[in-house]
Each structure stands twice: as structure tokens, then as C-alpha cells.
Amino acid sequence: MSKLNWNWAEWTADDSARCEVLGFLSLDIQDSLESVNQLLTASAEIEAGHLSTWERSGNAYRLHLDAKGATLNNLVVDDQPLNYLSLSDFKTAALAWKAQLESGNDEHPRQG
């Protein structure tokens, strides 16, 4: 997936779970290719049935992955409901983030 074809504003439009994924990538993953690769590896392992669950806690979010999808818990905003996203949508966002990092594009989309 090329960063040139990716539109974060369009992808997150009217979808709070997708907005939270963008917040997670922006605040907890940031510029770390190693971290985004860990997300993609965990997703692939879950899809293959080698892992049943995988979790990561960061500064702003707690992420839980399983065969049903991704669950994001905002650790900064009190009373924020959990956000659920399909594993496919989560992987799409992680792949787009990775492409952006690999392209050297320093302009990160930010949660608006």
C-alpha cells in the first residue's frame, strides 16, 4: 500500500474506532518501524492460529488483538468507551502507517 494513495481523513471519517486506531498509531507507535512490525507480526500470528491473543499497553492506549479483531482502550480520556475494529481494518491501518514511515514522510496525520 502506497502512502500516496492513502487518505487518513477519508479512512477515519465518521468512524470512532478508526479514529482511535489513528490516535494509537500517532501517540503510541509514532516513528517506530519495530513497533509497527510487531503489530503486523502479532496480527499474522493470530490469523494463522498460532496466537489466541496479543496485548500492548502504551502511553495513551491499551491494545488487545484476537481472532475477533482489535480492541482499543483509551488510557488518557476517562470514561472513553472501548473501540472495536476488525483485524483486517487494523492491519490495513498498520500497513499504511508502515508505508508512511518507510517513505520517510515526517508529516503524521493526527487525530483531529
Side-chain angles (χ1 to χ4, degrees):
M1 175 179 304
S2 169
K3 168 63 178 132
L4 299 175
N5 312 10
W6 188 256
N7 183 325
W8 286 103
E10 186 176 294
W11 192 76
T12 59
D14 300 322
D15 191 316
S16 63
R18 286 181 171 187
C19 287
E20 289 298 316
V21 169
L22 179 54
F24 167 73
L25 293 169
S26 297
L27 298 171
D28 284 355
I29 301 303
Q30 298 181 12
D31 296 333
S32 175
L33 270 173
E34 179 182 353
S35 292
V36 81
N37 283 330
Q38 288 173 350
L39 298 176
L40 293 168
T41 298
S43 297
E45 292 291 310
I46 288 169
E47 285 181 323
H50 301 298
L51 280 178
S52 58
T53 64
W54 187 84
E55 292 191 4
R56 174 192 176 102
S57 287
N59 294 324
Y61 291 89
R62 178 177 299 118
L63 169 69
H64 175 89
L65 298 177
D66 60 30
K68 295 177 188 174
T71 304
L72 280 165
N73 181 8
N74 188 318
L75 302 174
V76 177
V77 179
D78 291 334
D79 300 324
Q80 177 80 18
L82 295 176
N83 285 278
Y84 303 96
L85 197 69
S86 72
L87 199 54
S88 176
D89 271 359
F90 180 79
K91 281 180 50 182
T92 296
L95 285 167
W97 196 260
K98 180 178 179 176
Q100 176 177 297
L101 293 178
E102 289 176 335
S103 74
N105 183 352
D106 289 337
E107 293 184 28
H108 292 253
R110 298 295 178 201
Q111 188 174 14

